[in-house]
Amino acid sequence: MKQPVRVAVTGAAGQIGYALLFRIASGAMLGNDQPVILQLLDITPAMDALQGVKMELDDCAFPLLADVICSDDPNVAFKDADYALLVGARPRGPGMERKDLLEANAAIFSVQGKALNDYASKNVKVLVVGNPANTNALIAQRNAPDLDPRNFTAMTRLDHNRALSQLAQKTDNAVTAATHMTIWGNHSSTQFPDLFHAKVNGATAIEQVEQDWYENDFIPTVQQRGAAIIKARGASSAASAANAAIDHMRDWALGSQDNDWVSMAVYSDGSYGIQEGLIFSFPCECKNGDWSIVQGLEINEFSKAKLAETEKELAEERDAVSHLLP
Ligand SMILES: NC(=O)C1=CN([C@@H]2O[C@H](COP(=O)(O)OP(=O)(O)OC[C@H]3O[C@@H](n4cnc5c(N)ncnc54)[C@H](O)[C@@H]3O)[C@@H](O)[C@H]2O)C=CC1
Ligand SMILES: O=C([O-])CC(=O)C(=O)O
């Protein structure tokens, strides 16, 4: 039997937390042979609700769940954490853009970046889900100077999965026929879902759909899907967001599929001309517990303009929180 690993989850009493924790404890994220210790963080007024979640985790009698620690102190929740899923943050309501949450949520991520720096494992794999996810990840990363910036990622896997599903449905295929999807840039309405490199049944996707559908239906549908869910449900995506977080962490830890790639917002090393240091979503391959940006894709003029737009937005978000970036 493997030694348990420590998985910290923030916002654990919230709606994504409720869809996420039971799947982590069941082995869906790190494998059916990997015991886990859940280290759950929420704010003080949510401690009763968090205890209720812990009671339910106990009541599942998950064979892989070695322990559950509940706390309102990030220094406790992140202690020796091998994985950290930073979900805890305010969600947006109808009519808001995700960056409207920057002021409310940014401070959370400077505190948590410092706590990760001081208490987590030096190899901790961090996924930021709380919005605006890319810039919150940047804040956490910059407040953790002793950790490798590559340890900090933000979630665009939900956008990636949305795009796969839309493409498969449009072309009348099973979702497994759609591969090589890329979400470039920010988890926001400027994100660029790329069908020039995506494939359906192994052939270039853009050649199997009309350009008009791509530009005027597919791209806005994927960009606005979060808002459409909020309008329909009266609350933001939770089960699909939790599912995407599981997918992101599983692939990072255990490897992505051969002959395919996934979208992850990661520390830009200047690939594709994107400013170094931004947390930008790229096509990534995962192997041996590490990710790398897929290199050498040709970027046409249409895509170049889209990449520039989402990069500009991320640079503006970064500049708006410069007081939190040591
Ligand atoms: N990146 C992505 O694709 C997605 C991101 N999101 C974002 O995820 C975040 C969480 O969403 P929900 O679970 O629906 O919200 P929620 O409001 O149901 O839960 C948030 C939880 O975080 C807790 N929290 C607040 N401040 C905290 C702090 N300083 N430390 C620890 N916990 C704290 C709250 O008490 C609450 O329990 C939101 O910002 C939402 O916009 C949601 C869907 C997809
Ligand atoms: O749209 C929102 O605010 C929640 C979210 O990030 C998503 O569903 O992609």
Side-chain angles (χ1 to χ4, degrees):
M1 197 67 169
K2 290 183 179 173
Q3 285 300 309
V5 294
R6 294 177 181 274
V7 181
V9 180
T10 76
Q15 56 149 4
I16 295 176
Y18 199 66
L20 179 63
L21 299 173
F22 299 85
R23 293 190 61 200
I24 299 175
S26 76
M29 187 170 90
L30 297 173
N32 290 332
D33 60 347
Q34 178 59 67
V36 293
I37 297 170
L38 284 174
Q39 306 193 156
L40 308 181
L41 180 72
D42 212 297
I43 53 174
T44 313
M47 284 300 107
D48 282 348
L50 190 58
Q51 277 304 324
V53 174
K54 179 185 181 321
M55 286 158 68
E56 284 205 69
L57 283 162
D58 289 343
D59 294 350
C60 293
F62 286 119
L64 292 171
L65 187 56
D67 199 3
V68 183
I69 295 161
C70 297
S71 182
D72 57 3
D73 179 351
N75 298 351
V76 172
F78 292 145
K79 180 101 176 66
D80 299 325
D82 301 295
Y83 300 87
L85 292 89
L86 309 192
V87 178
R90 223 181 99 184
R92 64 175 168 156
M96 292 172 76
E97 285 295 328
R98 297 187 186 93
K99 64 184 165 200
D100 297 334
L101 293 167
L102 205 45
E103 209 175 311
N105 289 340
I108 296 174
F109 293 86
S110 58
V111 171
Q112 294 186 359
K114 289 188 186 90
L116 284 163
N117 188 69
D118 295 346
Y119 292 94
S121 156
K122 289 291 169 242
N123 299 318
V124 63
K125 288 179 163 56
V126 182
L127 169 63
V128 176
V129 174
N131 277 318
N134 300 54
T135 298
N136 288 338
L138 177 74
I139 295 168
Q141 181 265 312
R142 292 279 284 271
N143 281 279
D146 302 332
L147 299 179
D148 187 334
R150 293 173 47 85
N151 295 11
F152 288 83
T153 66
M155 191 165 93
T156 49
R157 185 62 173 266
L158 178 52
D159 312 286
H160 177 103
N161 288 344
R162 288 166 171 163
L164 286 175
S165 195
Q166 293 293 322
L167 176 63
Q169 286 176 20
K170 171 70 179 176
T171 58
D172 225 356
N173 278 285
V175 75
T176 47
T179 60
H180 299 84
M181 185 59 69
T182 308
I183 303 294
W184 297 91
N186 200 2
H187 174 62
S188 76
S189 52
T190 65
Q191 67 178 269
F192 171 47
D194 179 351
L195 290 193
F196 297 104
H197 299 100
K199 295 180 180 173
V200 180
N201 291 317
T204 306
I206 193 71
E207 286 164 12
Q208 302 182 57
V209 298
E210 311 87 58
Q211 185 77 21
D212 178 62
W213 176 80
Y214 177 45
E215 287 184 38
N216 299 315
D217 194 332
F218 176 80
I219 292 178
T221 297
V222 175
Q223 288 175 332
Q224 299 295 337
R225 187 67 160 187
I229 303 280
I230 291 170
K231 186 156 177 273
R233 243 171 56 83
S236 63
S237 329
S240 56
N243 178 67
I246 297 272
D247 285 351
H248 177 115
M249 281 307 213
R250 185 198 57 229
D251 286 350
W252 190 1
L254 304 179
S256 51
Q257 297 288 317
D258 287 341
N259 303 316
D260 200 358
W261 63 61
V262 293
S263 303
M264 297 170 70
V266 297
Y267 185 84
S268 171
D269 61 356
S271 291
Y272 297 98
I274 301 303
Q275 289 180 52
E276 206 176 326
L278 288 178
I279 304 289
F280 192 93
S281 183
F282 289 101
C284 290
E285 287 169 334
C286 302
K287 214 180 252 172
N288 302 324
D290 199 7
W291 54 262
S292 59
I293 298 172
V294 174
Q295 298 294 329
L297 300 180
E298 201 184 311
I299 307 296
N300 62 21
E301 289 307 315
F302 179 87
S303 307
K304 262 186 204 154
K306 298 285 187 199
L307 262 67
E309 190 191 345
T310 194
E311 180 190 24
K312 177 168 173 278
E313 183 183 46
L314 278 170
E316 286 167 2
E317 288 185 21
R318 176 197 60 202
D319 295 345
V321 295
S322 55
H323 57 292
L324 293 171
L325 303 177

